Amino acid sequence: MLNFYPGPSQVYPEVRDYLTLAYDEGMLSIPHRGERFVQMMRDLVGLMRTKLNIPQDYYIYFTSSATECWEILTQSLTPHKSLHLYNGAFGEKWYQYAKRLRPDSYGQSFGLEDVLDAPNLPVEDDTDLICVTQTETSNGTQVSMNTLLKLQNQFKDPLLAVDATSSMAGANLKFIRADIWFASVQKCFGLPSGMGVLVCSPRTIQRAKTLNDRKHYNSLLFLHEKMLNYQTAFTPNVLNLFLLKKVLEQRPIIKNIDQHLSQRAHDLYTFLDELTEVHLLVENPEVRSPTVIAVKGTDRWVQEAKRLATAQNITLGNGYGQWAKNTFRIANFPAISDAEYDVLRHFISSHYH
Ligand SMILES: *Cc1c(COP(=O)(O)O)cnc(C)c1O
């Protein structure tokens, strides 16, 4: 069974052994205030820094999901309002969640083919947070590190928050170009769903301290204070933390993963582009994501392609949001092997020319 669904996505094959190992080592019932947990967490945080290139002075926290991160950022860092820049379903959903808690939050959408126009954004006074979805999983677009730099230079006071759910651990993110980054482990991390990762700059934690939100079990300050001792505010997903540590131990550094995935994305886009019956949803190569590829056709063609794929034990990702019917998505994630993409290409070229 081949699975190209962009989340929950195929897990690393090694996860099978790590699950047994977690059981055999008694990890599944360790107390989260004990020595073994603290040691595991210390190792894990160190590995996150070295393997993902997270700066030494940035803080790392673990949450239940990326969705929870949206809420934490609103609760703990947004006394007034946030600005949401989006071109697809995930960015818009983040905006909707924020608006329910902070009704003054506002959004600015941009076109699928457009590079986010940083200099001309209508940033209002009292904007606490500027929110960007780095990889929009629903349509396979991305916001470049260069655009983040422009945003950072242009708007000094608001914190810059980046949803990197479908790129963290796949792309070489330049963490210093934003204050807040978060992801879920069921995308590029190649792990079972049910855990989020939150990365914050020193300035973010300064801001959290000034605002002093302590109203929620997952207030950022609670996460922070517990993490100073490598602990969590609530009983965490110890199994997933363990799996994350084991997987990271075996992985190359992110620079190498990024190079590999970029090359593979380039090959896939070139291959798809050359087929006359197949179209790419995103025509502008500058904004195409290397980790999520969206393929477009008529509703009928897409349905048929998915049906034929399923018959050959290949799972393609369904379209999402406004592109639900006329696209399918292909994850280009590290846990999927090159050989599996060869099978996919073979399947596509045997049906379409
Ligand atoms: C998958 C995804 C989410 C949601 O992740 P959960 O773990 O379900 O909370 C949020 N943002 C983006 C961009 C995603 O791809």
Side-chain angles (χ1 to χ4, degrees):
M1 186 81 209
L2 301 189
N3 183 1
F4 297 96
Y5 219 105
S9 58
Q10 185 166 307
V11 299
Y12 281 107
E14 295 88 336
V15 166
R16 191 173 195 271
D17 290 338
Y18 298 154
L19 286 167
T20 313
L21 195 64
Y23 183 91
D24 290 347
E25 290 189 356
M27 289 308 291
L28 299 183
S29 8
I30 59 167
H32 64 297
R33 305 273 172 244
E35 188 73 35
R36 283 185 78 189
F37 180 86
V38 168
Q39 190 55 47
M40 177 180 75
M41 188 60 104
R42 197 193 296 271
D43 294 345
L44 174 56
V45 169
L47 278 164
M48 293 278 290
R49 288 193 200 291
T50 47
K51 295 293 170 100
L52 301 185
N53 211 9
I54 297 174
Q56 284 300 329
D57 60 345
Y58 273 52
Y59 299 92
I60 301 172
Y61 311 101
F62 296 95
T63 65
S64 309
S65 65
T67 305
E68 188 191 17
C69 293
W70 292 343
E71 194 163 277
I72 291 172
L73 302 186
T74 301
Q75 289 169 170
S76 294
L77 295 166
T78 315
H80 309 101
K81 56 189 167 187
S82 44
L83 164 60
H84 297 261
L85 310 171
Y86 62 92
N87 74 352
F90 283 100
E92 188 173 8
K93 213 187 239 182
W94 183 2
Y95 171 36
Q96 297 306 335
Y97 274 108
K99 213 158 67 162
R100 272 177 231 148
L101 290 174
R102 300 291 182 269
D104 288 341
S105 292
Y106 56 112
Q108 172 80 33
S109 63
F110 58 102
L112 186 71
E113 305 288 344
D114 297 345
V115 174
L116 186 58
D117 185 14
N120 292 309
L121 290 170
V123 180
E124 300 173 8
D125 289 346
D126 284 344
T127 300
D128 303 299
L129 219 58
I130 297 180
C131 303
V132 178
T133 304
Q134 195 276 326
T135 295
E136 178 49 76
T137 322
S138 68
N139 57 28
T141 58
Q142 69 158 342
V143 172
S144 73
M145 296 301 121
N146 199 30
T147 300
L148 292 181
L149 180 64
K150 283 184 191 158
L151 285 171
Q152 204 177 35
N153 287 338
Q154 179 104 4
F155 308 105
K156 301 280 189 202
D157 189 53
L159 296 168
L160 183 55
V162 181
D163 182 339
T165 305
S166 283
S167 54
M168 192 186 290
N172 190 8
L173 304 171
K174 293 197 163 47
F175 285 93
I176 52 164
R177 301 224 170 142
D179 295 290
I180 300 152
W181 298 80
F182 57 90
S184 278
V185 296
Q186 80 269 20
K187 310 271 167 91
C188 286
F189 285 93
L191 289 170
S193 58
M195 192 167 77
V197 175
L198 175 62
V199 177
C200 296
S201 68
R203 187 169 89 112
T204 305
I205 300 308
Q206 262 338 103
R207 185 80 57 99
K209 285 179 180 164
T210 310
L211 297 171
N212 201 32
D213 158 52
R214 293 172 179 278
K215 290 201 287 290
H216 309 279
Y217 80 95
N218 56 7
S219 289
L220 184 55
L221 281 184
F222 292 154
L223 304 189
H224 178 71
E225 285 163 7
K226 282 285 182 264
M227 203 58 174
L228 291 173
N229 298 316
Y230 297 99
Q231 294 186 17
T232 50
F234 50 88
T235 319
N237 189 336
V238 176
L239 174 58
N240 234 333
L241 289 167
F242 176 82
L243 295 175
L244 178 56
K245 176 180 159 247
K246 295 307 287 182
V247 161
L248 284 176
E249 278 171 355
Q250 303 303 322
R251 299 305 297 157
I253 56 170
I254 192 66
K255 192 160 148 257
N256 297 356
I257 293 179
D258 180 303
Q259 272 166 3
H260 180 207
L261 292 192
S262 300
Q263 183 59 48
R264 199 160 70 183
H266 178 264
D267 294 348
L268 282 165
Y269 276 121
T270 309
F271 165 77
L272 292 164
D273 222 8
E274 281 169 359
L275 301 167
T276 47
E277 292 175 54
V278 177
H279 303 280
L280 294 167
L281 174 63
V282 184
E283 286 172 13
N284 179 3
E286 221 185 315
V287 298
R288 275 180 199 153
S289 156
T291 50
V292 181
I293 296 169
V295 178
K296 188 174 78 167
T298 61
D299 294 8
R300 256 185 82 171
W301 179 83
V302 167
Q303 215 176 1
E304 183 65 5
K306 283 192 297 192
R307 192 188 65 77
L308 287 171
T310 307
Q312 306 211 4
N313 276 333
I314 296 172
T315 303
L316 299 171
N318 287 330
Y320 198 98
Q322 83 182 89
W323 300 280
K325 289 221 166 74
N326 67 344
T327 64
F328 62 77
R329 294 171 299 154
I330 302 169
N332 181 27
F333 290 172
I336 309 171
S337 70
D338 290 348
E340 292 172 296
Y341 290 94
D342 290 341
V343 176
L344 178 66
R345 264 198 291 262
H346 182 76
F347 160 76
I348 295 177
S349 35
S350 64
H351 291 286
Y352 310 104
H353 308 285

